[in-house]
Amino acid sequence: IDVCTTDNSTSGDLKLRSLISSGGTITLSNYTVATLPTAASNAHAIVAVTDGNASPTYRGAVTGGGSTKGVAYCDGSSWMWH
């Protein structure tokens, strides 16, 4: 973790920056489409979806009803395939 002062701080605020580094496997949380958290509360989240639509497209909407497994990304307003 890297600790530094903010650029526009007048009261000495700090911000933390970190970089994930792994020498092993990183396991994503698994969800079905029905159990995905709300998009508005999970901006920039990345999860694994286990029952996605049959023919997902990059940045296409994540919908259920199939058996496709893949990685989904949340931009704060919707879940999309990545």
Side-chain angles (χ1 to χ4, degrees), residues 3-81:
V3 180
C4 61
T5 59
T6 59
D7 297 335
N8 57 0
S9 173
T10 57
S11 59
D13 292 338
L14 297 177
K15 65 180 177 180
L16 299 176
R17 296 183 295 199
S18 65
L19 174 65
I20 296 174
S21 178
S22 173
T25 302
I26 297 173
T27 303
L28 299 176
S29 298
N30 288 298
Y31 292 90
T32 63
V33 173
T35 62
L36 280 171
T38 58
S41 62
N42 287 283
H44 309 295
I46 299 175
V47 299
V49 175
T50 60
D51 70 338
N53 41 320
S55 300
T57 58
Y58 179 71
R59 296 186 66 93
V62 175
T63 58
S67 60
T68 302
K69 295 177 171 68
V71 175
Y73 170 77
C74 178
D75 65 0
S77 64
S78 65
W79 287 96
M80 62 189 84
W81 290 111

